């Protein structure tokens, strides 16, 4: 996660420069500067300074992969096309998002950088759903795009798809359905856990019933005490 944030920050600043200044030397200098600050902040994330080497290697690998995919000097971006905030409503659901970039030219395209591994073909539609939602959000504010793309930096691979209506409709339908489930769960105070690979990195794994059969009931005083001993606390939220 930290590596991904660092690489995204580097590419954000790189793409905000005039095209002729988006050189590899500039990118590596940005990585050194921003990376030094990230290394200083490692203890804030509960990581040891010794893990700085791993962070540097992974971020360098991602940046190298980026330049194997494209030359940023050839990418046309209008003002406001780097990390724009999108706030709109899609089929009655409020949608907030930040897009990595929107390119212009003959084809208008939404791009999302990925520092993780490219998923198997069976799981790729789930990953594409997010950028299709960005396309739906932009269409709702009368700024439609022609394509969406994912740049898998570690694999040095690009995945492009047309922003066709059927795919956008499927992504929108999933959004509406998931929002309905969330509202129902909030009203009933009952949440359905869906374990997966990401559970390995969850800070609350030690008190999750899907991971351990003898964990205290979520929300109980025993559960809260366990979280407090680990330096974690519950953040109360209101429905929105």
């Amino acid at each position: 996660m930290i590596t991904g944030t660092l690489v995204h920050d580097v590419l954000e600043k790189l793409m905000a420069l005039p095209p002729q200044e988006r050189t590899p030397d500039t990118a590596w200098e940005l990585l050194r500067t921003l990376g030094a600050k990230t290394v200083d902040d490692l203890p804030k994330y509960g990581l040891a300074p010794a893990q700085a080497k791993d962070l540097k290697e992974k971020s360098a690998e991602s940046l190298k992969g980026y330049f194997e995919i494209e030359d940023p000097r050839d990418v046309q971006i209008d003002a406001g096309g780097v990390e724009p905030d999108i706030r709109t409503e899609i089929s009655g659901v409020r949608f907030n998002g930040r897009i990595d970039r929107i390119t212009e030219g003959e084809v208008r395209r939404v791009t999302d950088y990925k520092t993780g591994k490219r998923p198997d073909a069976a799981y790729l539609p789930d990953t594409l759903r997010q950028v299709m939602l960005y396309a739906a959000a932009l269409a709702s504010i009368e700024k439609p795009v022609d394509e969406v793309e994912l740049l898998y930096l570690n694999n040095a691979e690009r995945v492009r798809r047309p922003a066709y209506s059927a795919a956008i409709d499927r992504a929108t339908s999933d959004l509406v359905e998931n929002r309905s489930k969330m509202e129902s769960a909030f009203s009933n105070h009952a949440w359905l856990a869906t374990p997966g690979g990401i559970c390995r990195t969850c800070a609350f794994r030690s008190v999750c019933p899907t991971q351990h059969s003898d964990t205290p009931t979520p929300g109980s005083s025993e559960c809260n005490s366990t979280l407090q001993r680990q330096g974690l606390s519950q953040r109360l939220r209101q429905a929105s």
Side-chain angles (χ1 to χ4, degrees), residues 8-226:
H8 274 72
D9 288 347
V10 169
L11 292 177
E12 176 186 356
K13 293 187 178 300
L14 182 72
M15 301 310 293
L17 296 171
Q20 67 272 16
E21 296 181 22
R22 300 173 194 157
T23 64
D25 288 343
T26 301
W28 290 114
E29 182 58 34
L30 286 169
L31 181 60
R32 282 190 289 270
T33 302
L34 297 174
K37 175 65 167 58
T38 302
V39 169
D40 290 340
D41 288 342
L42 285 180
K44 296 180 181 179
Y45 301 108
L47 300 176
Q51 292 176 283
K53 180 181 179 181
D54 190 41
L55 171 68
K56 293 176 181 178
E57 291 177 349
K58 289 183 177 180
S59 56
E61 180 183 357
S62 293
L63 195 57
K64 180 176 179 291
Y66 169 72
F67 279 96
E68 291 178 11
I69 297 173
E70 66 181 13
D71 185 340
R73 291 171 294 187
D74 298 332
V75 178
Q76 181 181 342
I77 304 176
D78 285 353
V82 177
E83 296 284 336
D85 279 320
I86 304 296
R87 298 176 182 275
T88 184
E89 189 173 286
I90 302 175
S91 295
V93 179
R94 285 196 294 174
F95 181 88
N96 299 333
R98 173 171 288 185
I99 301 174
D100 287 343
R101 79 179 192 212
I102 303 173
T103 55
E104 306 291 345
E106 293 183 3
V107 175
R108 196 161 188 267
R109 181 181 300 119
V110 163
T111 301
D112 196 39
Y113 307 123
K114 297 294 184 183
T115 53
K117 293 183 179 180
R118 174 177 171 169
D120 294 335
Y123 298 100
L124 190 58
D126 291 336
T127 309
L128 283 164
R129 186 176 293 112
Q130 181 63 46
V131 281
M132 287 297 179
L133 281 176
Y134 288 151
L138 289 168
S140 74
I141 58 174
E142 299 183 354
K143 294 182 179 180
V145 295
D146 305 296
E147 290 182 349
V148 299
E149 73 174 356
L150 304 172
L151 300 187
Y152 284 96
L153 308 184
N154 288 353
N155 300 87
E157 292 183 31
R158 169 188 276 124
V159 176
R160 280 182 180 168
R161 296 289 188 273
Y164 55 97
S165 58
I168 292 177
D169 289 345
R170 283 198 298 269
T172 300
S173 177
D174 288 342
L175 175 70
V176 172
E177 181 180 356
N178 288 333
R179 180 61 186 179
S180 177
K181 290 179 179 178
M182 290 174 62
E183 291 176 345
S184 175
F186 191 90
S187 299
N188 297 323
H189 302 284
W191 299 86
L192 178 63
T194 306
I198 200 171
C199 291
R200 294 192 300 270
T201 62
C202 180
F204 295 87
R205 187 178 183 183
S206 62
V207 295
C208 180
T210 71
Q211 302 297 308
H212 305 282
S213 60
D214 58 348
T215 56
T217 302
S220 66
S221 58
E222 184 182 357
C223 178
N224 292 336
S225 296
T226 302

